[in-house]
Amino acid sequence: MAEKYEKVSEVENSAQSCDSIINTLVDSCCKDLDSYINSIRDNYRDISKVDNLTLDNIILNLPMLIYYASSRMEYLGFRDDLSTINKKRKMVEVLEQLDIKTQTLRSLTAEVKSDESQIISSMYSHAYKCVKAKLDVAYEILASCKKIMSRRIEEYKVEHSDTGRLLNTK
């Protein structure tokens, strides 16, 4: 049983190192976007109660932050592609150096010997997915703000058109 805990602990230690790198990659893309969304969350728990000027600011600022984060995400995606290529290249190098006849054993040995390249590729892939998820949520927040603003405009039109009709009927 102690051996299992030791293995779990080893995985957790490796994961923490990888998490730190992934978080750094994600922060390089989303730091400003995260700060802005966190300030919206902290200051306006109920977005429907936000005044129109603040809602306008959110609707104007959020797309710019999405733009910059999306641009940085493309660089991250390119690095993900490069790391995948490097992983395959490393596998081929290892396979060429092996003097093992059985194909299955050759493949397994190559995978083990190129695991660092696989981990790097996996980290870039996960970072890209994290940034993509954050951007998806930012788009949802933007769409919600636009819906609230549209509803308010419609309510305003209804209120003022009813007042106009009431005045004309007298």
Side-chain angles (χ1 to χ4, degrees), residues 41-60:
R41 183 199 63 213
D42 293 343
N43 295 316
Y44 312 106
R45 290 275 180 206
D46 186 356
I47 197 81
S48 66
K49 294 181 181 175
V50 173
D51 64 83
N52 289 343
L53 183 60
T54 303
L55 204 54
D56 276 341
N57 283 330
I58 293 170
I59 291 169
L60 290 172

Side-chain angles (χ1 to χ4, degrees), residues 87 90-96 98 100 104-115 118:
K87 175 182 77 171
K90 180 68 174 176
M91 287 278 290
V92 169
E93 287 174 13
V94 171
L95 280 170
E96 288 174 348
L98 292 176
I100 301 172
T104 305
L105 189 55
R106 284 174 56 88
S107 296
L108 288 173
T109 305
E111 281 183 36
V112 169
K113 290 191 176 198
S114 64
D115 66 344
Q118 292 179 34

Side-chain angles (χ1 to χ4, degrees), residues 54-72:
T54 303
L55 204 54
D56 276 341
N57 283 330
I58 293 170
I59 291 169
L60 290 172
N61 288 320
L62 201 50
M64 287 185 281
L65 294 168
I66 290 170
Y67 168 82
Y68 290 116
S70 296
S71 173
R72 292 181 203 121

Side-chain angles (χ1 to χ4, degrees), residues 56-143:
D56 276 341
N57 283 330
I58 293 170
I59 291 169
L60 290 172
N61 288 320
L62 201 50
M64 287 185 281
L65 294 168
I66 290 170
Y67 168 82
Y68 290 116
S70 296
S71 173
R72 292 181 203 121
M73 184 180 80
E74 288 305 315
Y75 288 109
L76 191 59
F78 177 68
R79 283 161 178 76
D80 180 21
D81 294 342
L82 282 177
S83 67
T84 300
I85 291 167
N86 286 338
K87 175 182 77 171
K88 290 176 183 177
R89 188 175 291 149
K90 180 68 174 176
M91 287 278 290
V92 169
E93 287 174 13
V94 171
L95 280 170
E96 288 174 348
Q97 294 172 358
L98 292 176
D99 191 29
I100 301 172
K101 304 295 182 211
T102 310
Q103 184 60 35
T104 305
L105 189 55
R106 284 174 56 88
S107 296
L108 288 173
T109 305
E111 281 183 36
V112 169
K113 290 191 176 198
S114 64
D115 66 344
E116 186 176 296
S117 297
Q118 292 179 34
I119 291 169
I120 291 169
S121 179
S122 180
M123 286 190 295
Y124 275 110
S125 177
H126 285 288
Y128 183 88
K129 290 173 187 174
C130 287
V131 172
K132 177 83 171 88
K134 287 180 180 227
L135 286 171
D136 289 345
V137 171
Y139 280 117
E140 289 296 322
I141 292 169
L142 180 61

